[in-house]
């Protein structure tokens, strides 16, 4: 059943929350709007004065200019489209886009209230630049802010080198801003930059890319309508990606089975045919327990494995020896019959898909867990199949795009590495001298060495200098759209905040960073107001790899500026503005600041990002898709007729070649049943052509439909093209550009054009997926207990890794902490597993959404889910405040929610809250009028040390706590 539009007019009825209806926002014209958007507007915004009627239309005015703007919700990666009505420059109304093939007219609570970002009265946004002076926030001008922050950063760079500054970007930046920030930081001279993806899906990106090619969701939310069975393991999509459930529920209507595997009985589990409760962090025993039954019953797809998978025989031997049903039950607590049932459901209802989110990724062995899921899908022959695949739901609205082209410490845009050749390639795209970039860095060695990660910046500040592998310690942090409370070890973070020379926060909302810093510092902190994505334009990449173009809805509010304008301003201060914007069209804003147009930035991305096919999505093509959403099919995402005929919606990457090639995008990765010019593909030849005498290339007869090469082949370069006799199909100009190049570095696009269009082959080769890898700590995924394990007996059997001396520039502990915890009997003193996750009402660190009165009304306090047995044993009743105590010595106070959702021994706290610190409201530390409406304790004040052994992902899903009644 699809949602149907009831009316073209405004939503019927008045405001839902009538008790605040008297505070309705009055109509105002643009002049009055700007006048009232000064600093005074935000002061004294108390909950009782909030404008709950603001989603309803403002009253009609006689002579008004009414515009419709099409944008995309900023609160998760589903990518729901929003139509905004703007009257005389004021955003007065919003509607879900009914013809959007992604959301079909549906929004969740967050998407339905995005207009709140555009209100003036009672706004909780950061309105002007501010500076901490003597422990108090003081308003300053933009000139002062740019000059003081710029001078201080330049002084630190001069004194200690560029690596003394760490830049945390945002997964809410659009693609153009994310990309520009990586370029900006490179010109500043450091790889110390990162963003949210590090702490949500870095393990996915590494694990999945190293298995079969690209580190992304293989299929799409829509394609889940084609599945016959979906297993959600480590995903609570009903709360984290609500509108995605629309597609799964359609699949259920046509008979698809749904399985949820989770330590908690979540809202998603409530929709499942089969719910399996596992002990937190034991995904590998469970997944390999399933695989045991698959192999034992001969349910694996032998032809597929033979043709397309390397190393499955070795995995099979390991699984059959180690993950017998008794061992599985011992470790993860699931009896054999349940594991068998789920394995049978997945095997006998193909195509079947696996869905995961941070329940799998945020572990010290996250890289191995996600690979175990991939291996299960490979064994069942489910990858590269419509209705199958690994549907990996990303978090923030542009976490996929920010990962693809943004500020990663170990790669340049498009996952080009940091080797000299990659730098030279991008220097060419940017039109700057490679030697000039090199001189910006402290050394070539540091230019080619991955920076440290956002998950560890606190240690880069605090550790003794002689163990920090980069010269200086980090002395300044720039939080450019990132929430500190989404990071673990809050107690340690406060100490690092104290020690910094400088903290700069650039954000539409002051974020918990402001309050945390003001709580422990008197000065050295600056807050700079960035505008939201509704006050600028640009592209955003949904989790399914589709790009959508947001129109600017309204002009920047208050004194805020778009992030790319701010990057340009700071580049001017640092002396490299001309290099940064030399390829862009630049306009002046109302204050005379330079603003590069997002269209011209995207065109530069198009010219450089050949690796992942961000080359075909020109701004013109994306805008055409936004204007013609109704022409796209809901299940296949393909346009049937109309101006986008044949394209897949949003040109999901890879969209190879130049825009002129008209590649339609790739709805399902690695799908050999389609021609490559129809979005088809195969696994990537990224790891050589053989291993120990065994071919890594696909077997004879396994190739994308219609290809001239009917067997496996390596990636294409100028040599292979010549050997095959295809070189003369390039134009003279293309030959000149392609000489000495490969499919990733030929900026003419000629190699991709000839290979794809003329010969139906895949530019990145045709290889086998790797069930076994040789560049990870565990070639075959192994279960290892978390550092803070509730089961010392399991630690003895499944110990963690050895400590690492230097890992992403820092020493990193594994076994030393795990062993000490066993010796200190931490699991006896803190006997409850603490896990964390999302709520439907809020996003990420939550400052934006907790500042939204509609959402704040829905979820007013933080809480801990605790089983009745554990609560009763502690004399705790439902609704009482409790102390949650951490082995670190931290403790937080939240309400007890006594519920069977969690098993005895497990607790859960949502991670969206901040604004209290160990029992104390931090209201006094926010700039006046800018504190979120809902403030509460952050779970990450309590979380402990622990990092993934490949990517430095933080462990948030399994740590320990004690819960005590509050006196
Ligand atoms: Fe859609 Fe996600 Fe926004 Fe909800 S938060 S409306 S599911 S994009």
């Amino acid at each position: 059943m699809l949602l149907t539009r009831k009316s073209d007019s405004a939503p019927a009825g008045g405001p839902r929350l009538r008790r605040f209806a008297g505070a309705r926002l009055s109509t105002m014209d643009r002049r009055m709007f700007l006048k009232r958007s000064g600093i005074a507007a935000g002061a004294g915004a108390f909950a009782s004065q909030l404008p709950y009627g603001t989603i309803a239309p403002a009253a009609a005015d006689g002579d008004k200019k009414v515009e419709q703007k099409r944008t995309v919700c900023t609160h998760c990666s589903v990518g729901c489209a929003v139509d905004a009505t703007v009257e005389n420059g004021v955003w007065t109304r919003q509607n879900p886009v009914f013809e959007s093939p992604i959301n079909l007219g549906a929004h969740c609570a967050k998407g339905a209230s995005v207009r709140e970002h555009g209100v003036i009265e009672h706004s909780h946004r950061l309105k002007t630049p501010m500076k901490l002076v003597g422990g108090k926030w003081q308003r300053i001008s933009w000139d002062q802010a740019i000059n003081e922050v710029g001078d201080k950063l330049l002084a630190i760079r001069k004194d200690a080198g560029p690596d003394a500054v760490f830049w945390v970007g945002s997964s809410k930046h659009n693609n153009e801003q994310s990309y520009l920030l990586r370029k900006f930081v490179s010109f500043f001279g450091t790889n110390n930059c990162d963003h949210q993806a590090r702490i949500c899906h870095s393990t996915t990106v590494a694990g999945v890319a190293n298995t079969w090619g690209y580190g992304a969701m293989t299929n799409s939310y829509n394609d889940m309508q084609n599945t016959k069975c979906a297993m959600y393991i480590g995903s609570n999509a009903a709360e984290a990606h609500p509108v995605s459930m629309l597609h799964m529920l359609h699949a259920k209507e046509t008979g698809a089975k749904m399985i949820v595997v989770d330590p908690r009985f979540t809202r998603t589990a409530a929709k499942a045919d089969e719910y399996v409760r596992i002990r937190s962090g034991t995904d590998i025993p469970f997944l390999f327990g399933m695989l045991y039954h698959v192999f034992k019953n001969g349910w694996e797809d032998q032809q597929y494995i033979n043709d397309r998978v390397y190393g499955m025989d070795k995995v099979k031997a390991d699984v059959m020896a180690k993950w017998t049903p008794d061992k599985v039950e011992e470790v993860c607590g699931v009896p054999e019959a349940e594991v068998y049932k789920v394995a049978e459901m997945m095997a006998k209802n193909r195509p079947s898909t696996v869905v995961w989110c941070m329940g799998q990724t945020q572990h010290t062995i996250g890289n191995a867990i996600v690979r175990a899921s991939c291996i299960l899908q490979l064994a069942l022959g489910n990858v590269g199949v419509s209705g199958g695949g690994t549907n990996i739901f990303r978090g923030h609205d542009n976490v996929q795009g920010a990962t693809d082209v943004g500020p990663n410490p170990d790669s340049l845009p498009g996952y080009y590495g940091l080797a000299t050749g990659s730098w030279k390639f991008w220097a060419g795209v940017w039109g700057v001298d490679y030697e000039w970039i090199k001189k910006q860095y402290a050394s070539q060695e540091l230019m080619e060495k991955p920076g440290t990660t956002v998950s560890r910046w606190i240690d880069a500040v605090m550790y003794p200098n002689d163990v920090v592998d980069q010269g200086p310690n980090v002395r300044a942090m720039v939080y450019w759209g990132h929430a500190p409370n989404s990071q673990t070890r809050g107690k340690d973070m406060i100490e690092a905040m104290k020690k910094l020379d400088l903290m700069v926060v650039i954000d539409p909302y002051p974020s918990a960073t402001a309050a945390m810093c003001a709580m422990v510092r008197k000065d050295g902190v600056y807050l700079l107001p960035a505008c939201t994505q509704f006050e600028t334009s640009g592209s955003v990449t949904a989790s399914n790899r589709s790009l959508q173009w947001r129109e600017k809805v309204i002009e920047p509010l208050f004194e805020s500026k778009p992030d790319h304008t701010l990057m340009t301003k700071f580049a001017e201060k640092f002396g490299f503005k001309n290099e940064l914007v030399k390829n862009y069209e630049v306009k002046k804003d109302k204050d005379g600041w330079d603003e590069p147009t997002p269209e011209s930035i995207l065109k530069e991305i198009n010219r450089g990002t050949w690796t992942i096919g961000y080359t075909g999505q020109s701004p013109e093509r994306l805008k055409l898709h936004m204007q013609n959403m109704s022409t796209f099919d809901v299940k296949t995402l393909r346009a049937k007729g109309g101006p986008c005929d044949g394209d897949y919606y949003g040109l999901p990457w890879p969209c190879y070649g130049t825009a002129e090639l008209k590649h339609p995008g790739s709805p399902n990765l690695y799908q050999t049943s389609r021609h490559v010019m129809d979005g088809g593909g195969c696994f990537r030849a990224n790891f050589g052509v053989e291993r120990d005498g065994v071919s890594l290339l696909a077997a004879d007869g396994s190739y994308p439909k219609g290809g001239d090469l009917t067997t496996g082949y390596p990636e294409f370069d100028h040599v292979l093209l010549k050997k095959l006799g295809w070189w003369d199909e390039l134009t003279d100009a293309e030959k000149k550009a392609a000489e000495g190049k490969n499919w990733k570095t030929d900026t003419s696009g000629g190699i991709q054009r000839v290979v794809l269009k003329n010969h139906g082959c895949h530019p990145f080769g045709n290889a086998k997926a790797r069930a076994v890898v040789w560049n990870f700590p565990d070639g075959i995924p192994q279960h290892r207990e978390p550092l803070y394990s509730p089961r010392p007996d399991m630690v003895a059997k499944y110990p963690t890794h050895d400590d690492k001396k230097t890992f992403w520039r820092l020493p990193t502990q594994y076994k030393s902490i795990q062993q000490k915890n066993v010796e200190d009997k931490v699991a006896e003193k803190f006997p409850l597993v603490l896990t964390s996750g999302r709520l439907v009402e809020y996003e990420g660190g939550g400052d934006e959404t907790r500042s939204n009165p509609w959402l704040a009304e829905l979820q007013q306090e933080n809480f801990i889910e605790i089983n009745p047995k554990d609560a009763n044993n502690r004399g705790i009743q439902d609704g009482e405040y409790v102390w949650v105590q951490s082995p670190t010595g931290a403790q937080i106070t939240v309400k007890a929610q006594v519920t069977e959702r969690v098993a005895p021994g497990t607790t859960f706290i949502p991670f969206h809250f901040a604004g209290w610190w160990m029992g104390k409201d931090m209201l006094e530390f926010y700039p006046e009028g800018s504190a979120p409406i809902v403030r509460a304790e952050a779970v990450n004040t309590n979380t402990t040390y622990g990092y993934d052994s490949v990517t430095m992902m933080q462990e948030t899903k399994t740590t320990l706590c004690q819960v005590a009644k509050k006196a």
Side-chain angles (χ1 to χ4, degrees), residues 72-82 102-103 106-112 114 239-244 395 397 838 840 843:
V72 177
C73 172
T74 52
H75 290 308
C76 93
S77 68
V78 174
C80 300
V82 179
I102 291 181
N103 59 297
H107 274 170
C108 74
K110 296 187 289 289
V114 289
E239 300 217 56
H241 304 88
V243 174
S244 75
D397 58 319
R838 283 198 187 214
V840 71
E843 181 208 359

Side-chain angles (χ1 to χ4, degrees), residues 917-955:
W917 184 259
M918 298 205 215
K920 187 172 174 339
D921 188 349
M922 296 162 75
L923 178 62
E924 64 183 294
F925 301 116
Y926 286 88
E928 191 180 359
S930 297
I933 299 163
V934 170
R935 296 177 305 283
E937 297 271 14
V939 64
N940 280 319
T941 302
N942 268 26
T943 46
T944 49
Y945 188 99
Y947 299 98
D948 177 71
S949 58
V950 172
T951 70
M952 209 63 106
M953 164 67 78
Q954 61 188 10
E955 169 85 56

Side-chain angles (χ1 to χ4, degrees), residues 29-65:
D29 65 16
R30 172 138 190 87
R31 205 160 43 140
M32 185 186 294
F33 174 78
L34 291 172
K35 192 169 155 211
R36 293 175 73 166
S37 65
I39 179 70
F46 300 110
S48 62
Q49 301 168 314
L50 290 169
Y52 278 95
T54 53
I55 307 297
D61 200 356
D63 193 19
K64 67 189 174 191
K65 184 181 169 203

